[in-house]
Amino acid sequence: MNRHGELVRELKSLRKGRGVHVGRIGERIGPNLSLVCGITGDDGPVTIRGKVVSRLVELAEHLPDDLRVATVAAFALTTEVRMPLYQDRVGWAASRINRDSRTVRRRVDEAIDQLAELVITVPRAADGAWHIAELHVAVTLDRPQPEVLEQYRLFADQDGLTELDFSSPLAVGRRPEEADVIYGGTLRHHGPVSRTLVLPEPLQRGKSHDFAVRFRLPRLQSYVVQARQRPCDLFELRLRFGRELTPAHVWTLRDVREDAISQQGHQHPVDRAGEVHLRFRRLLPGLAYGAQWDAETTARQRPCTCGEGMSNAS
């Protein structure tokens, strides 16, 4: 049988209604889509949705810009296009690529056809042995040396998880920062930016584990974001500028491509203590979430990407 044609039909079925946010998503996922997304019979709705979103986002990055937008709209892959009706998402895409709705529908069909082809040539990323349920990040900018406190709650997706590899919050090549574990394991360093968290004891499938890491950083630039290569259920960010460094404007970054972080999002107020509190849910792999502020107010600072590049090791 024609597996390409079967996968196309399954994708066209998934785009209906709320897309990937449909209730009982497991009933909308056919055998071919399950195979290419690495879905197993033990996966629940949250895991299924995360795997489908991760794979579609991964494949869409290989499409031309107009087809990528069509894909995002068809399956409701970002927050701003999580609309209950497919026709509304088509209208959103039409305004983004400056085409009429009929043209967008043809673009969606073309995108789905190419996605089915890409499944053969673009291998799926290695299945994760764990995923993040909650990540709470506090960034203090009103100190001589800024600090980042990252508090994680993760769940094991396989038995015998013993360690986690993760990268520095700073881009590779910048001055190394100090890091230490507050609780939940011990750090093993592999270089200036690569580290492994060794768990206190092996973690079994379905069990949770909490840990926290503190980083002391050089001065930051005018943005701080969380960019992951896998879904994250909840990301909570607290920024403390203090009264002296409070910027004139702070913008929320949500569902932003990592190569477009300079684009400003929705403006967010700073309270009287010079603090900002942001919360993001259902983060999508490959997209950035966080805050950007007035560069003139913080011209002395350097860039920071919190939690970037965490991966699995077991």
Side-chain angles (χ1 to χ4, degrees):
M1 298 181 68
N2 184 353
R3 175 156 295 181
H4 176 274
E6 293 173 353
L7 184 55
V8 166
R9 284 193 292 274
E10 291 178 15
L11 288 170
K12 287 184 176 180
S13 175
L14 181 61
R15 74 185 177 187
K16 298 176 181 178
R18 296 182 181 273
V20 297
H21 301 287
V22 65
R24 297 182 178 180
I25 187 172
E27 298 178 2
R28 291 278 294 274
I29 303 300
N32 295 281
L33 191 55
S34 293
L35 180 64
V36 302
C37 294
I39 296 170
T40 69
D42 295 329
D43 292 338
V46 173
T47 302
I48 292 174
R49 185 173 290 107
K51 287 183 175 181
V52 172
V53 169
S54 178
R55 186 59 168 152
L56 291 180
V57 169
E58 180 182 44
L59 293 174
E61 290 300 316
H62 297 269
L63 298 177
D65 286 344
D66 61 333
L67 299 187
R68 183 182 60 80
V69 171
T71 300
V72 168
F75 301 103
L77 297 180
T78 65
T79 302
E80 60 183 325
V81 75
R82 289 177 188 172
M83 303 168 186
L85 299 178
Y86 173 61
Q87 62 187 29
D88 292 337
R89 299 197 298 276
V90 168
W92 174 87
S95 65
R96 293 293 296 267
I97 66 175
N98 196 27
R99 295 290 188 272
D100 59 32
S101 295
R102 181 177 299 179
T103 299
V104 170
R105 292 177 186 274
R106 290 198 298 268
R107 294 286 195 276
V108 170
D109 287 341
E110 185 179 354
I112 287 177
D113 187 71
Q114 291 196 26
L115 289 172
E117 293 176 352
L118 285 170
V119 165
I120 301 174
T121 58
V122 180
R124 189 175 75 245
D127 292 336
W130 56 275
H131 69 274
I132 293 175
E134 298 181 15
L135 170 58
H136 302 270
V137 177
V139 184
T140 54
L141 304 169
D142 58 345
R143 301 183 180 185
Q145 186 176 23
E147 290 187 353
V148 177
L149 175 63
E150 298 183 347
Q151 297 174 284
Y152 292 85
R153 168 161 292 179
L154 64 87
F155 281 85
D157 294 323
Q158 68 179 34
D159 289 333
L161 186 66
T162 59
E163 58 185 37
L164 315 168
D165 285 351
F166 65 97
S167 302
S168 163
L170 286 181
V172 176
R174 295 198 174 270
R175 182 165 65 89
E177 79 289 352
E178 302 175 28
D180 56 89
V181 175
I182 304 301
Y183 58 81
T186 56
L187 277 183
R188 185 169 68 235
H189 296 253
H190 302 292
V193 296
S194 180
R195 299 177 176 85
T196 296
L197 179 78
V198 181
L199 302 182
E201 58 185 20
L203 196 63
Q204 302 307 309
R205 181 186 177 94
K207 298 297 183 180
S208 66
H209 179 71
D210 296 346
F211 71 95
V213 182
R214 178 178 59 191
F215 299 91
R216 295 180 180 88
L217 306 171
R219 292 185 178 275
L220 306 178
Q221 198 176 335
S222 58
Y223 64 87
V224 53
V225 300
Q226 153 73 198
R228 307 211 59 77
Q229 298 307 313
R230 65 181 70 202
C232 176
D233 296 337
L234 171 66
F235 169 42
E236 186 176 52
L237 173 64
R238 294 181 182 271
L239 298 171
R240 178 174 176 82
F241 296 97
R243 294 186 177 181
E244 294 184 1
L245 286 178
T246 298
H249 304 286
V250 175
W251 296 273
T252 301
L253 299 176
R254 185 189 302 271
D255 297 322
V256 178
R257 295 181 65 182
E258 293 185 58
D259 58 359
I261 290 178
S262 61
Q263 295 180 356
Q264 297 176 355
H266 299 291
Q267 191 166 334
H268 192 87
V270 182
D271 65 24
R272 290 185 297 178
E275 297 180 0
V276 170
H277 181 202
L278 300 173
R279 184 180 286 109
F280 306 89
R281 294 187 180 276
R282 295 180 181 177
L283 281 67
L284 300 180
L287 299 180
Y289 302 78
Q292 178 183 18
W293 54 89
D294 193 338
E296 295 181 0
T297 308
T298 54
R300 297 173 297 170
Q301 300 178 345
R302 298 179 182 176
C304 167
T305 304
C306 293
E308 182 178 7
M310 294 196 64
S311 59
N312 163 66
S314 58

